[in-house]
Amino acid sequence: MPQASQILLIDDEQESCQALSLLLSRAGYHVESCHSGEKALALLNKQSFDLIISDLFLPGVSGIDILKQVKEDSPQTCVILITGNASAETAVEAMKEGAFDYISKPFNFERLKLQVAKALEKSQLVIENQYLRQQLHRKYDFDNIIGTSQAMQQVFTRMEKIVNTDSTVLILGASGTGKELVAKAIHFNGARKDKPFIAINCGAIPADLLESELFGHIKGAFTSAIADKPGKFEVANGGTIFLDEIGNMPLQLQMKLLRVLQEHEFEPVGSSKKIQLDVRLISATNADLAEQVKARQFREDLYYRLNVIPIVLPPLKERRGDISLLARYFLVKICKEMHRPLMTLDQQAFQAIEAYDWPGNVREMENVIERTVALTDGEII
C-alpha cells in the first residue's frame, strides 16, 4: 500500500469528515479535506490526487458533478462516492458515470479501507499501462528503423502515407531485413495503435494446424480439440494481424483467407457460426510471390488482394551507406543492455563490417555485434 497516496475527502458534514480523515491518516494516507464541491473543484485545479472520496449530496456542486469533472480531467483517478440517502437510481447513475464504488452511510470503515486500497491499486495499474503503452509506441517509432539511404527513405515515405489507412500491406524482403519491425511501426503509429497487434509465422506451423491457429476451433472439431479456442484473427479483431512468410500458406487455406478478406467474417474450424471481423492485414514474405503465382503455387486472386500496398525492404548489401550507421546503433544498444561501458569499433573493424555482404541482413548484424560485445575484453573492438 503506497504510504504517500494523496486522498481528497469531500463532505459537508464537518464532524463526519474529520473522523474519516483521521481514520484514513492513521491508515497511512495523506488526506486533504474540504466541505463543499466548489472548494473541491478549485483544489483539483491546483493539484492532483490519487483518489477522491466524496459525499454524493453536497449543496451546489454535487458529488456526481465532481465525478464527471475528475473523469474528464484525470480518467485514471478513481472516485468513491458515499451517501446517507442511498437509492437504486443514484447508485446506477454513479456507476454509469464511472464511480469506482458507491457506499452507503453508516459504512464499515474496514470495508471502506479495503475499497480505498483496491481503488489506488487500479489507478496505479492504469498509470503503469499508459506508461508501458507509451514506451511500446516509442519503441516502434519510425526513428527506430535505421537507414539514411535513398531506398530506406522511400520505405519511410510510403509508411507515412499508409499508417492511417486500413489498406492491406505486403512487405517483401530477404530474411533479416526487418519486415516485422516495419509491420509493427505501421500498426503502432496508426489509428489501431491501442488495439492488438498479433503476429504469426505461417512457415513455422504445420499445415494441418495452421487453419486452427488462424481461425480457432470449437470443442470436438477434431480429436485433440478438448475446448473452444479463439484463433489469431479473433484475438486481433479491431487491431492488426501480421502474417509472416505467407508464401508458405497451403493453397486450400489461401482460399479461406481470400474469403475472409472479401467478406470480413469467418467460421472457426468445426463451427457454422460466423464471426464478424474488423482487422488490418499486413503480410510478409522473402519469396517471389509473382513467380509462385506463375508456378500455380500461390493463388493469383489472393496475391492481388494482399499486394494493395507493397513495401520492398532492400538487403544490406544494396544499402551499404547504412551499414556503419546500423553497427553504431547496435553497439550502443547492446552495451546498454549488457550494462557495459560504451565500446568503440576501430578502423579495421569498420572496414570489415562495411566490406561484408551480410546475407542475414540486419538480424545477422545485430547478432554479430552482440556476440562481439560479449566476448571482447576492454572498450575497443
Side-chain angles (χ1 to χ4, degrees), residues 40 69 81 92 99-100 115-117 131 134 186 204 214 262 277 292-293 310 340 343-344 358 360 364 370 379:
Q69 191 63 50
L81 293 176
V92 168
F100 178 79
Q115 292 305 94
V116 166
Y131 173 76
Q134 290 169 355
I186 292 171
L214 289 175
Q262 291 172 337
L277 190 65
Q292 286 189 235
V293 168
R340 293 194 57 167
M343 304 173 77
T344 57
W358 298 104
E364 181 187 8
E370 181 177 349
E379 297 181 9

Side-chain angles (χ1 to χ4, degrees), residues 58-92:
L58 297 167
V61 175
S62 70
I64 291 289
D65 295 328
I66 292 168
L67 170 62
K68 290 178 179 178
Q69 191 63 50
V70 169
K71 287 303 169 185
E72 183 177 334
D73 296 340
S74 180
Q76 75 276 7
T77 303
C78 289
V79 178
I80 295 175
L81 293 176
I82 54 177
T83 181
N85 301 297
S87 70
E89 291 78 8
T90 54
V92 168

Side-chain angles (χ1 to χ4, degrees), residues 273-328:
K273 180 184 176 182
K274 295 185 182 297
I275 295 176
Q276 296 298 309
L277 190 65
D278 172 26
V279 69
R280 182 178 196 170
L281 175 64
I282 301 177
S283 53
T285 181
N286 58 13
D288 188 334
L289 285 189
E291 287 299 317
Q292 286 189 235
V293 168
K294 290 180 182 178
R296 298 184 181 279
Q297 296 173 342
F298 200 87
R299 292 186 62 96
E300 185 175 18
D301 45 8
L302 179 59
Y303 171 65
Y304 289 125
R305 178 70 68 168
L306 297 176
N307 197 33
V308 176
I309 307 288
I311 294 179
V312 180
L313 297 181
L316 267 184
K317 66 181 180 181
E318 293 180 11
R319 43 184 286 223
R320 290 192 178 275
D322 292 336
I323 289 178
S324 60
L325 190 67
L326 278 162
R328 288 188 177 94

Side-chain angles (χ1 to χ4, degrees), residues 21-287:
S21 177
L22 180 61
L23 288 169
L24 289 169
S25 297
R26 286 177 176 174
Y29 300 108
H30 177 78
V31 183
E32 295 232 10
S33 60
C34 53
H35 308 302
S36 73
E38 289 81 3
K39 289 182 180 179
L41 290 180
L43 192 56
L44 285 166
N45 282 329
K46 295 178 182 178
Q47 67 184 94
S48 61
F49 293 87
D50 301 304
L51 175 65
I52 315 295
I53 302 176
S54 176
D55 191 5
L56 179 61
F57 296 105
L58 297 167
V61 175
S62 70
I64 291 289
D65 295 328
I66 292 168
L67 170 62
K68 290 178 179 178
Q69 191 63 50
V70 169
K71 287 303 169 185
E72 183 177 334
D73 296 340
S74 180
Q76 75 276 7
T77 303
C78 289
V79 178
I80 295 175
L81 293 176
I82 54 177
T83 181
N85 301 297
S87 70
E89 291 78 8
T90 54
V92 168
E93 183 183 7
M95 303 311 285
K96 184 178 178 182
E97 293 295 340
F100 178 79
D101 200 3
Y102 177 88
I103 300 175
S104 301
K105 296 180 181 178
F107 48 78
N108 181 299
F109 180 67
E110 290 303 317
R111 186 208 165 202
L112 176 64
K113 192 164 67 170
L114 180 63
Q115 292 305 94
V116 166
K118 287 182 177 179
L120 289 168
E121 182 181 13
K122 180 185 176 183
S123 295
Q124 187 59 36
L125 285 173
V126 170
I127 292 168
E128 289 174 1
N129 285 337
Q130 289 175 342
Y131 173 76
L132 291 172
R133 194 177 294 117
Q134 290 169 355
Q135 293 298 103
L136 188 61
H137 293 170
R138 196 170 294 127
K139 180 179 180 181
Y140 295 113
D141 191 84
F142 286 1
D143 293 342
N144 290 322
I145 303 175
I146 308 300
T148 58
S149 63
Q150 184 178 356
M152 288 306 296
Q153 291 308 305
Q154 290 174 349
V155 169
F156 295 143
T157 299
R158 178 155 294 193
M159 289 170 64
E160 287 170 353
K161 287 180 177 179
I162 66 171
V163 288
N164 288 314
T165 73
D166 280 333
S167 298
T168 303
V169 179
L170 177 61
I171 305 173
L172 304 165
S175 178
T177 48
K179 296 186 288 295
E180 184 168 346
L181 181 61
V182 168
K184 287 178 176 177
I186 292 171
H187 171 78
F188 286 110
N189 288 279
R192 296 176 182 263
K193 61 186 177 183
D194 294 321
K195 301 296 183 178
F197 176 91
I198 303 297
I200 185 167
N201 189 325
C202 298
I205 299 172
D208 57 337
L209 297 179
L210 186 56
E211 182 178 5
S212 174
E213 282 294 315
L214 289 175
F215 303 111
H217 61 254
I218 63 170
K219 181 179 179 180
F222 44 85
T223 306
S224 58
I226 59 175
D228 291 357
K229 177 187 175 184
K232 301 298 185 185
F233 270 92
E234 186 174 353
V235 175
N237 214 355
T240 300
I241 189 164
F242 175 59
L243 302 182
D244 199 7
E245 302 305 339
I246 197 165
N248 292 327
M249 181 176 286
L251 282 167
Q252 182 179 356
L253 192 51
Q254 289 177 30
M255 182 62 206
K256 182 164 184 176
L257 177 60
L258 179 64
R259 286 201 307 271
V260 169
L261 294 177
Q262 291 172 337
E263 305 298 332
H264 304 288
E265 62 182 20
F266 66 93
E267 298 172 0
V269 177
S271 174
S272 59
K273 180 184 176 182
K274 295 185 182 297
I275 295 176
Q276 296 298 309
L277 190 65
D278 172 26
V279 69
R280 182 178 196 170
L281 175 64
I282 301 177
S283 53
T285 181
N286 58 13

